[in-house]
PDB file of all heavy atoms in Angstrom:
ATOM      1  N   LEU A  23       0.906  -1.158  -0.002  1.00 95.00           N
ATOM      2  CA  LEU A  23       0.031   0.002   0.007  1.00 95.00           C
ATOM      3  C   LEU A  23       0.799   1.287   0.019  1.00 95.00           C
ATOM      4  O   LEU A  23       0.550   2.168  -0.699  1.00 95.00           O
ATOM      5  CB  LEU A  23      -0.957  -0.025   1.255  1.00 95.00           C
ATOM      6  CG  LEU A  23      -2.141  -0.988   1.157  1.00 95.00           C
ATOM      7  CD1 LEU A  23      -2.843  -0.851   2.487  1.00 95.00           C
ATOM      8  CD2 LEU A  23      -3.072  -0.598   0.011  1.00 95.00           C
ATOM      9  N   LYS A  24       1.973   1.226   0.771  1.00 95.00           N
ATOM     10  CA  LYS A  24       2.805   2.418   0.794  1.00 95.00           C
ATOM     11  C   LYS A  24       3.454   2.705  -0.615  1.00 95.00           C
ATOM     12  O   LYS A  24       3.440   3.808  -1.028  1.00 95.00           O
ATOM     13  CB  LYS A  24       3.959   2.173   1.873  1.00 95.00           C
ATOM     14  CG  LYS A  24       4.943   3.342   1.869  1.00 95.00           C
ATOM     15  CD  LYS A  24       6.006   3.121   2.928  1.00 95.00           C
ATOM     16  CE  LYS A  24       6.939   4.301   3.068  1.00 95.00           C
ATOM     17  NZ  LYS A  24       7.686   4.536   1.725  1.00 95.00           N
ATOM     18  N   GLU A  25       3.829   1.619  -1.217  1.00 94.00           N
ATOM     19  CA  GLU A  25       4.481   1.805  -2.617  1.00 94.00           C
ATOM     20  C   GLU A  25       3.435   2.342  -3.528  1.00 94.00           C
ATOM     21  O   GLU A  25       3.705   3.295  -4.285  1.00 94.00           O
ATOM     22  CB  GLU A  25       4.885   0.443  -3.130  1.00 94.00           C
ATOM     23  CG  GLU A  25       5.627   0.478  -4.392  1.00 94.00           C
ATOM     24  CD  GLU A  25       6.217  -0.832  -4.894  1.00 94.00           C
ATOM     25  OE1 GLU A  25       6.224  -1.837  -4.061  1.00 94.00           O
ATOM     26  OE2 GLU A  25       6.606  -0.946  -6.036  1.00 94.00           O
ATOM     27  N   VAL A  26       2.270   1.866  -3.568  1.00 95.00           N
ATOM     28  CA  VAL A  26       1.229   2.307  -4.552  1.00 95.00           C
ATOM     29  C   VAL A  26       0.754   3.713  -4.184  1.00 95.00           C
ATOM     30  O   VAL A  26       0.449   4.514  -5.034  1.00 95.00           O
ATOM     31  CB  VAL A  26       0.130   1.286  -4.723  1.00 95.00           C
ATOM     32  CG1 VAL A  26      -0.869   1.231  -3.553  1.00 95.00           C
ATOM     33  CG2 VAL A  26      -0.722   1.603  -6.046  1.00 95.00           C
ATOM     34  N   PHE A  27       0.524   4.042  -2.872  1.00 95.00           N
ATOM     35  CA  PHE A  27       0.089   5.350  -2.489  1.00 95.00           C
ATOM     36  C   PHE A  27       1.020   6.366  -2.891  1.00 95.00           C
ATOM     37  O   PHE A  27       0.753   7.493  -3.201  1.00 95.00           O
ATOM     38  CB  PHE A  27      -0.174   5.351  -1.024  1.00 95.00           C
ATOM     39  CG  PHE A  27      -1.606   4.703  -0.568  1.00 95.00           C
ATOM     40  CD1 PHE A  27      -1.672   4.055   0.543  1.00 95.00           C
ATOM     41  CD2 PHE A  27      -2.765   4.781  -1.488  1.00 95.00           C
ATOM     42  CE1 PHE A  27      -2.951   3.526   0.972  1.00 95.00           C
ATOM     43  CE2 PHE A  27      -3.922   4.136  -1.146  1.00 95.00           C
ATOM     44  CZ  PHE A  27      -4.003   3.528   0.092  1.00 95.00           C
ATOM     45  N   THR A  28       2.363   6.041  -2.633  1.00 94.00           N
ATOM     46  CA  THR A  28       3.495   7.036  -2.889  1.00 94.00           C
ATOM     47  C   THR A  28       3.523   7.396  -4.338  1.00 94.00           C
ATOM     48  O   THR A  28       3.922   8.527  -4.676  1.00 94.00           O
ATOM     49  CB  THR A  28       4.753   6.346  -2.530  1.00 94.00           C
ATOM     50  OG1 THR A  28       4.748   6.114  -1.121  1.00 94.00           O
ATOM     51  CG2 THR A  28       5.950   7.411  -2.767  1.00 94.00           C
ATOM     52  N   LYS A  29       3.008   6.611  -5.261  1.00 93.00           N
ATOM     53  CA  LYS A  29       2.954   6.784  -6.725  1.00 93.00           C
ATOM     54  C   LYS A  29       1.647   7.569  -7.088  1.00 93.00           C
ATOM     55  O   LYS A  29       1.502   7.899  -8.284  1.00 93.00           O
ATOM     56  CB  LYS A  29       3.156   5.517  -7.497  1.00 93.00           C
ATOM     57  CG  LYS A  29       4.486   4.827  -7.242  1.00 93.00           C
ATOM     58  CD  LYS A  29       4.512   3.516  -8.030  1.00 93.00           C
ATOM     59  CE  LYS A  29       5.824   2.780  -7.771  1.00 93.00           C
ATOM     60  NZ  LYS A  29       5.942   1.524  -8.497  1.00 93.00           N
ATOM     61  N   THR A  30       0.832   7.907  -6.184  1.00 93.00           N
ATOM     62  CA  THR A  30      -0.469   8.480  -6.488  1.00 93.00           C
ATOM     63  C   THR A  30      -0.463   9.909  -6.016  1.00 93.00           C
ATOM     64  O   THR A  30      -0.204  10.240  -4.988  1.00 93.00           O
ATOM     65  CB  THR A  30      -1.630   7.739  -5.668  1.00 93.00           C
ATOM     66  OG1 THR A  30      -1.563   6.367  -6.052  1.00 93.00           O
ATOM     67  CG2 THR A  30      -2.894   8.284  -6.135  1.00 93.00           C
ATOM     68  N   ASP A  31      -0.798  10.809  -6.977  1.00 93.00           N
ATOM     69  CA  ASP A  31      -0.808  12.234  -6.806  1.00 93.00           C
ATOM     70  C   ASP A  31      -1.805  12.634  -5.779  1.00 93.00           C
ATOM     71  O   ASP A  31      -1.539  13.721  -5.013  1.00 93.00           O
ATOM     72  CB  ASP A  31      -1.074  13.005  -8.061  1.00 93.00           C
ATOM     73  CG  ASP A  31       0.034  12.798  -9.112  1.00 93.00           C
ATOM     74  OD1 ASP A  31       1.263  12.490  -8.727  1.00 93.00           O
ATOM     75  OD2 ASP A  31      -0.165  12.954 -10.285  1.00 93.00           O
ATOM     76  N   SER A  32      -2.906  11.965  -5.621  1.00 95.00           N
ATOM     77  CA  SER A  32      -3.975  12.382  -4.662  1.00 95.00           C
ATOM     78  C   SER A  32      -3.886  11.845  -3.221  1.00 95.00           C
ATOM     79  O   SER A  32      -4.699  12.091  -2.431  1.00 95.00           O
ATOM     80  CB  SER A  32      -5.291  12.097  -5.207  1.00 95.00           C
ATOM     81  OG  SER A  32      -5.414  10.582  -5.375  1.00 95.00           O
ATOM     82  N   VAL A  33      -2.845  11.057  -2.985  1.00 95.00           N
ATOM     83  CA  VAL A  33      -2.575  10.477  -1.686  1.00 95.00           C
ATOM     84  C   VAL A  33      -1.224  10.814  -1.202  1.00 95.00           C
ATOM     85  O   VAL A  33      -0.177  10.653  -1.909  1.00 95.00           O
ATOM     86  CB  VAL A  33      -2.893   8.938  -1.734  1.00 95.00           C
ATOM     87  CG1 VAL A  33      -2.638   8.378  -0.296  1.00 95.00           C
ATOM     88  CG2 VAL A  33      -4.198   8.650  -2.220  1.00 95.00           C
ATOM     89  N   GLU A  34      -1.107  11.066   0.162  1.00 95.00           N
ATOM     90  CA  GLU A  34       0.224  11.359   0.748  1.00 95.00           C
ATOM     91  C   GLU A  34       0.301  10.393   2.045  1.00 95.00           C
ATOM     92  O   GLU A  34      -0.617  10.480   2.913  1.00 95.00           O
ATOM     93  CB  GLU A  34       0.311  12.730   1.183  1.00 95.00           C
ATOM     94  CG  GLU A  34       1.723  13.000   1.893  1.00 95.00           C
ATOM     95  CD  GLU A  34       1.834  14.375   2.469  1.00 95.00           C
ATOM     96  OE1 GLU A  34       0.893  15.209   2.364  1.00 95.00           O
ATOM     97  OE2 GLU A  34       2.891  14.757   3.084  1.00 95.00           O
ATOM     98  N   VAL A  35       1.291   9.547   2.028  1.00 94.00           N
ATOM     99  CA  VAL A  35       1.525   8.690   3.186  1.00 94.00           C
ATOM    100  C   VAL A  35       2.498   9.551   4.125  1.00 94.00           C
ATOM    101  O   VAL A  35       3.645   9.692   3.852  1.00 94.00           O
ATOM    102  CB  VAL A  35       2.311   7.400   2.822  1.00 94.00           C
ATOM    103  CG1 VAL A  35       2.632   6.557   4.150  1.00 94.00           C
ATOM    104  CG2 VAL A  35       1.416   6.479   1.921  1.00 94.00           C
ATOM    105  N   ILE A  36       1.874  10.028   5.266  1.00 93.00           N
ATOM    106  CA  ILE A  36       2.659  10.885   6.144  1.00 93.00           C
ATOM    107  C   ILE A  36       3.418  10.113   7.224  1.00 93.00           C
ATOM    108  O   ILE A  36       4.323  10.660   7.772  1.00 93.00           O
ATOM    109  CB  ILE A  36       1.790  11.921   6.783  1.00 93.00           C
ATOM    110  CG1 ILE A  36       0.649  11.215   7.701  1.00 93.00           C
ATOM    111  CG2 ILE A  36       1.093  12.821   5.677  1.00 93.00           C
ATOM    112  CD1 ILE A  36      -0.063  12.224   8.347  1.00 93.00           C
ATOM    113  N   GLN A  37       3.053   8.820   7.386  1.00 91.00           N
ATOM    114  CA  GLN A  37       3.876   7.972   8.458  1.00 91.00           C
ATOM    115  C   GLN A  37       3.516   6.614   8.262  1.00 91.00           C
ATOM    116  O   GLN A  37       2.404   6.230   7.879  1.00 91.00           O
ATOM    117  CB  GLN A  37       3.281   8.600   9.760  1.00 91.00           C
ATOM    118  CG  GLN A  37       4.268   8.129  10.899  1.00 91.00           C
ATOM    119  CD  GLN A  37       3.810   8.719  12.318  1.00 91.00           C
ATOM    120  OE1 GLN A  37       2.733   9.186  12.390  1.00 91.00           O
ATOM    121  NE2 GLN A  37       4.693   8.717  13.260  1.00 91.00           N
ATOM    122  N   VAL A  38       4.499   5.787   8.520  1.00 92.00           N
ATOM    123  CA  VAL A  38       4.428   4.337   8.570  1.00 92.00           C
ATOM    124  C   VAL A  38       4.898   3.945  10.014  1.00 92.00           C
ATOM    125  O   VAL A  38       6.034   4.109  10.391  1.00 92.00           O
ATOM    126  CB  VAL A  38       5.125   3.497   7.509  1.00 92.00           C
ATOM    127  CG1 VAL A  38       5.020   2.041   7.630  1.00 92.00           C
ATOM    128  CG2 VAL A  38       4.673   3.970   6.104  1.00 92.00           C
ATOM    129  N   ILE A  39       3.945   3.292  10.864  1.00 90.00           N
ATOM    130  CA  ILE A  39       4.309   3.033  12.193  1.00 90.00           C
ATOM    131  C   ILE A  39       4.309   1.522  12.297  1.00 90.00           C
ATOM    132  O   ILE A  39       3.342   0.853  12.127  1.00 90.00           O
ATOM    133  CB  ILE A  39       3.233   3.677  13.134  1.00 90.00           C
ATOM    134  CG1 ILE A  39       3.076   5.040  12.908  1.00 90.00           C
ATOM    135  CG2 ILE A  39       3.577   3.428  14.599  1.00 90.00           C
ATOM    136  CD1 ILE A  39       1.926   5.893  13.828  1.00 90.00           C
ATOM    137  N   PRO A  40       5.528   1.015  12.844  1.00 87.00           N
ATOM    138  CA  PRO A  40       5.456  -0.486  13.173  1.00 87.00           C
ATOM    139  C   PRO A  40       4.534  -0.725  14.379  1.00 87.00           C
ATOM    140  O   PRO A  40       4.353   0.178  15.194  1.00 87.00           O
ATOM    141  CB  PRO A  40       6.909  -0.608  13.657  1.00 87.00           C
ATOM    142  CG  PRO A  40       7.703   0.431  12.992  1.00 87.00           C
ATOM    143  CD  PRO A  40       6.660   1.683  12.988  1.00 87.00           C
ATOM    144  N   SER A  41       3.964  -1.913  14.277  1.00 75.00           N
ATOM    145  CA  SER A  41       2.963  -2.159  15.380  1.00 75.00           C
ATOM    146  C   SER A  41       3.545  -3.131  16.492  1.00 75.00           C
ATOM    147  O   SER A  41       2.883  -3.348  17.448  1.00 75.00           O
ATOM    148  CB  SER A  41       1.790  -2.901  14.776  1.00 75.00           C
ATOM    149  OG  SER A  41       2.176  -4.026  14.161  1.00 75.00           O
ATOM    150  N   ARG A  42       4.791  -3.604  16.344  1.00 69.00           N
ATOM    151  CA  ARG A  42       5.363  -4.539  17.208  1.00 69.00           C
ATOM    152  C   ARG A  42       6.104  -3.864  18.320  1.00 69.00           C
ATOM    153  O   ARG A  42       6.630  -2.726  18.235  1.00 69.00           O
ATOM    154  CB  ARG A  42       6.254  -5.503  16.535  1.00 69.00           C
ATOM    155  CG  ARG A  42       5.550  -6.309  15.448  1.00 69.00           C
ATOM    156  CD  ARG A  42       6.377  -7.432  15.016  1.00 69.00           C
ATOM    157  NE  ARG A  42       5.685  -8.234  14.005  1.00 69.00           N
ATOM    158  CZ  ARG A  42       5.996  -9.542  13.729  1.00 69.00           C
ATOM    159  NH1 ARG A  42       7.008 -10.066  14.253  1.00 69.00           N
ATOM    160  NH2 ARG A  42       5.346 -10.180  12.816  1.00 69.00           N
ATOM    161  N   GLY A  43       6.118  -4.502  19.453  1.00 56.00           N
ATOM    162  CA  GLY A  43       6.755  -4.109  20.597  1.00 56.00           C
ATOM    163  C   GLY A  43       6.279  -2.746  21.064  1.00 56.00           C
ATOM    164  O   GLY A  43       5.053  -2.459  21.130  1.00 56.00           O
ATOM    165  N   ASN A  44       7.172  -1.827  21.457  1.00 60.00           N
ATOM    166  CA  ASN A  44       6.774  -0.539  21.927  1.00 60.00           C
ATOM    167  C   ASN A  44       6.691   0.545  20.785  1.00 60.00           C
ATOM    168  O   ASN A  44       6.618   1.817  21.012  1.00 60.00           O
ATOM    169  CB  ASN A  44       7.685   0.011  23.037  1.00 60.00           C
ATOM    170  CG  ASN A  44       7.559  -0.888  24.178  1.00 60.00           C
ATOM    171  OD1 ASN A  44       6.453  -1.224  24.669  1.00 60.00           O
ATOM    172  ND2 ASN A  44       8.591  -1.055  24.956  1.00 60.00           N
ATOM    173  N   ALA A  45       6.949   0.069  19.505  1.00 58.00           N
ATOM    174  CA  ALA A  45       7.150   1.154  18.414  1.00 58.00           C
ATOM    175  C   ALA A  45       5.906   1.929  18.216  1.00 58.00           C
ATOM    176  O   ALA A  45       5.968   3.215  17.987  1.00 58.00           O
ATOM    177  CB  ALA A  45       7.369   0.298  17.122  1.00 58.00           C
ATOM    178  N   LEU A  46       4.590   1.341  18.343  1.00 63.00           N
ATOM    179  CA  LEU A  46       3.492   2.083  18.133  1.00 63.00           C
ATOM    180  C   LEU A  46       3.272   3.157  19.317  1.00 63.00           C
ATOM    181  O   LEU A  46       2.999   4.340  19.135  1.00 63.00           O
ATOM    182  CB  LEU A  46       2.317   1.178  18.007  1.00 63.00           C
ATOM    183  CG  LEU A  46       0.856   1.785  17.984  1.00 63.00           C
ATOM    184  CD1 LEU A  46       1.012   2.793  16.548  1.00 63.00           C
ATOM    185  CD2 LEU A  46      -0.231   0.777  17.669  1.00 63.00           C
ATOM    186  N   SER A  47       3.518   2.683  20.467  1.00 58.00           N
ATOM    187  CA  SER A  47       3.336   3.525  21.710  1.00 58.00           C
ATOM    188  C   SER A  47       4.288   4.617  21.591  1.00 58.00           C
ATOM    189  O   SER A  47       3.973   5.738  22.032  1.00 58.00           O
ATOM    190  CB  SER A  47       3.540   2.707  23.019  1.00 58.00           C
ATOM    191  OG  SER A  47       2.537   1.634  23.150  1.00 58.00           O
TER     192      SER A  47
END
């Protein structure tokens, strides 16, 4: 999803957050 959204003019991926461990917190 990040790869395809990044190639799309109408969408901006502002953050990708890992969900494991304390990364999300």
Side-chain angles (χ1 to χ4, degrees):
L23 286 175
K24 179 180 183 294
E25 182 176 352
V26 70
F27 283 148
T28 301
K29 297 176 181 177
T30 304
D31 293 338
S32 58
V33 179
E34 179 185 2
V35 177
I36 62 174
Q37 197 173 15
V38 179
I39 306 176
S41 62
R42 299 195 176 197
N44 295 322
L46 180 56
S47 296

